[in-house]
Amino acid sequence: MILFHFFLGIFPNDCFDWSDTKVHWYGGGQSINLTWPLDTGTIQYTPFITGDIQNSQMGNVLTRYLINSKGAAIIIDEETPLYISVNARNKEICLLAKYDDFAYANRLTEYAEMKYNICISTDMKSLHSSIHSHRSAPLWDGLKPIDMHILESLISEPVWQIAPRFKHELKAETISKYTEDVIYLGFLKQGHVLINEFWQNEIGDLAVDTSRFETLNETVDKLHRRGFKVAFTVQPFISTESANFGECVQKRLLISERNSDRRIPALTRFKSLASAGVLDITNSKTVPWIMNKLQAVIDKYDIDSFYFDLGTAYDMPHYYQCEKKLINPDQYKTAFIKTFEKTLKVIGVSSAVSLPSPPVFVSLPPFESTWEAMRRVIPTMLTYGINGYPFIMPGAVGGDIYWPGSEQFLPSSKGSADINITDSAHNGIDLPEVELYMRWLQMATFLPVMKFTHLPSKYNDERVLEMAKNLTSLRQKVVTPLLLKYKRSALEEGLPLVRPLWLVPGAAGAGGAGGAGADAALLVRDEFCVGDELVVAPILYPNTTTREVYLPAGLWQDGIDGSLRKGNRWMHEYRVPVDRVAYFIRKPDDMRF
Ligand SMILES: *[C@@H]1O[C@H](CO)[C@@H](O)[C@H](O)[C@H]1NC(C)=O
Ligand SMILES: *[C@@H]1O[C@H](CO)[C@@H](O)[C@H](O)[C@H]1NC(C)=O
Ligand SMILES: *[C@@H]1O[C@H](CO)[C@@H](O)[C@H](O)[C@H]1NC(C)=O
Ligand SMILES: *[C@@H]1O[C@H](CO)[C@@H](O)[C@H](O)[C@H]1NC(C)=O
Ligand SMILES: *[C@@H]1O[C@H](CO)[C@@H](O)[C@H](O)[C@H]1NC(C)=O
């Protein structure tokens, strides 16, 4: 018993009872076992650092606050070496402060300290806005016209993700042909072409692979003339095979082994990279080194922007040591983003623990091409919105080609003669099942950014094409204007573009009507609202043409048949044919017929 107290003394520990089933909790992060709302999940004590949910308990985007439906929030200090558990033994969330040898290896004090604040407000919406306004200057502060332009273009034009799994598959012709196919389709806007890390020969070269891309400047020029913008993916990892590796070691630009004299680089693995060093962004010599390399690429190839693929905390070398002490490995990505967000044009980041300046969008984690994965998109997106990230970039329609664990599904690198329907731009990769693709496209039509890898034309199916055409026109006429309208409240108050139903006026927690369905708004995890005005209820199961739909209080116009619907209730067995999507547009309350 004495020993037990001894431990308690060293690891401060606090638990919050949430056995009251009328109160629900949100925020924190995403994990395979944490759902929406948080109190319905389970998670054993884990360090509160980013990871991918295949290999660790927390996801790629986190913030240190939790919010509940009674209008209370727990905000945990950045310096606390925080572990959390959810419903591990009892119905409760527990916070623990503990140093360890990776997540919290850098001790600030002799014993771990835990600091947190509890804030209370009248409802969740005002609480959310006030937490946001205390955390930083308004998002629009310092926004340049060019940033606003990029922000708006990401909302109104698609992102074309060209991401083959093998380096040799990425060629100038592949990129050129892909954009030709987009134009040939005729109804989709040009948008941003996002090219993965294989524009380099070895990752970390930070220079174009001239053996595969002899005339990439001409390709980019052609893309520009066609109306596309071009973004390159940049990672802070330097392959040990890259010519830069030796130079970086010699100049000590890399993160070093802990307790070494800084000359020994600490190595890690990342995606296709079996062995790589990591640029030490806290070293003042590293920043100009990176900047020079990237500026040379911009000057020579006229690239429009970059996407930062920074990995998660667990992609850092285990015994890492930076020039400046990091409180935890996630601070690395915050430092990386802050360093370049003002000097480079950046459209997105793969992982975050603090809000980047617009127009930087924060990505959802990659999702594989399965129904199960598609069902995780909405709760994850809603969680990140509540975490205070209003501008979220979802993955590709139909699922991503790369996701942690996807290596085991790699087709042979030799080509793909024996594979049935594949996508020529993405050699040897099977197209997602057609019904999954259709349902995913229906959902994606309402998300802040539409990202494609596989084009709808790849299916050679009139049904898919006609649906894609109709959804595109719906996106342009109805969804994009709404997203652009709500961009304002995102920049002003940090409110997400796509919201959970409880954040919408008229729902419980928003200070609204309450009523029979009020609790429903707190629990729904398969619907979302664009701003306050458009409820979307996509189908998320195969072979399914009906679903339960909850409508928040108010008057709504049915997007499928145009009829008026009364809110604050469930609609049972609501019919949604395979080429349709259920959505409802808010109408003024006094409008009837
Ligand atoms: C996730 O939940 C399942 C079932 O509740 C449990 O068996 C498993 O241990 C949990 N995983 C983690 C990582 O907590
Ligand atoms: C591409 O680069 C080559 C060689 O540097 C140059 O001759 C050519 O004019 C460039 N093309 C364009 C479109 O900039
Ligand atoms: C291609 O389709 C045939 C028949 O549908 C199937 O038997 C075969 O396994 C498929 N091949 C691959 C590589 O998926
Ligand atoms: C597409 O729109 C046309 C014209 O409004 C309509 O006739 C057709 O049924 C729609 N098709 C689908 C699949 O939504
Ligand atoms: C869908 O239904 C068809 C026929 O009813 C069946 O053959 C198929 O296996 C079902 N697919 C799934 C994914 O359940």
Side-chain angles (χ1 to χ4, degrees), residues 27-41:
Q30 165 244 23
S31 108
I32 200 98
N33 273 7
L34 284 185
T35 66
W36 178 273
L38 267 185
D39 42 283
T40 57

Side-chain angles (χ1 to χ4, degrees), residues 84-295:
I84 70 161
S85 78
V86 171
N87 297 335
R89 247 168 289 156
N90 305 311
K91 285 288 283 177
E92 61 187 9
I93 180 162
C94 295
L95 311 177
L96 173 81
K98 185 172 105 168
Y99 289 124
D100 56 24
D101 73 351
F102 172 64
Y104 306 112
N106 292 326
R107 291 168 180 250
L108 301 169
T109 48
E110 188 179 356
Y111 296 107
E113 288 177 6
M114 177 147 67
K115 286 188 205 143
Y116 60 83
N117 291 296
I118 293 185
C119 302
I120 294 172
S121 181
T122 49
D123 61 76
M124 285 196 286
K125 189 169 185 173
S126 66
L127 186 61
H128 181 90
S129 322
S130 65
I131 293 174
H132 182 83
S133 64
H134 279 100
R135 290 167 78 217
S136 53
L139 278 179
W140 49 261
D141 190 52
L143 198 65
K144 296 192 284 281
I146 175 71
D147 299 329
M148 189 60 115
H149 180 76
I150 296 174
L151 182 70
E152 289 176 351
S153 74
L154 283 162
I155 290 172
S156 54
E157 300 162 3
V159 170
W160 308 102
Q161 175 160 281
I162 302 190
R165 284 196 202 155
F166 296 103
K167 190 169 75 182
H168 70 260
E169 292 168 2
L170 186 71
K171 300 189 194 102
E173 307 86 79
T174 331
I175 301 168
S176 183
K177 174 73 171 53
Y178 188 99
T179 57
E180 238 165 65
D181 289 350
V182 171
I183 290 176
Y184 184 74
L185 259 180
F187 55 84
L188 283 160
K189 291 197 180 172
Q190 277 81 340
H192 299 257
V193 175
L194 172 56
I195 294 171
N196 75 354
E197 58 276 16
F198 295 147
W199 54 276
Q200 312 161 84
N201 178 25
E202 294 296 345
I203 290 160
D205 286 354
L206 300 183
V208 169
D209 178 2
T210 44
S211 68
R212 271 178 304 137
F213 299 107
E214 249 174 280
T215 56
L216 189 66
N217 65 339
E218 319 243 313
T219 309
V220 172
D221 188 52
K222 185 156 70 179
L223 262 49
H224 283 160
R225 276 186 277 116
R226 286 174 179 169
F228 291 93
K229 293 171 263 300
V230 182
F232 277 2
T233 300
V234 169
Q235 299 163 338
F237 303 97
I238 309 276
S239 166
T240 48
E241 306 284 313
S242 166
N244 284 339
F245 185 77
E247 183 189 338
C248 290
V249 171
Q250 196 234 331
K251 294 186 173 159
R252 304 196 196 172
L253 304 182
L254 299 178
I255 291 179
S256 57
E257 278 287 330
R258 191 174 304 152
N259 304 326
S260 80
D261 66 356
R262 295 183 195 276
R263 265 178 294 199
I264 305 171
L267 298 184
T268 187
R269 293 187 339 181
F270 185 64
K271 295 190 174 170
S272 65
L273 273 174
S275 160
V278 188
L279 287 163
D280 182 356
I281 198 69
T282 70
N283 177 342
S284 56
K285 285 184 296 185
T286 309
V287 176
W289 186 87
I290 301 175
M291 202 59 206
N292 282 343
K293 301 269 178 203
L294 295 181
Q295 193 59 49

Side-chain angles (χ1 to χ4, degrees), residues 417-421 430:
D418 59 340
I419 287 180
N420 295 332
I421 338 175
D430 286 317

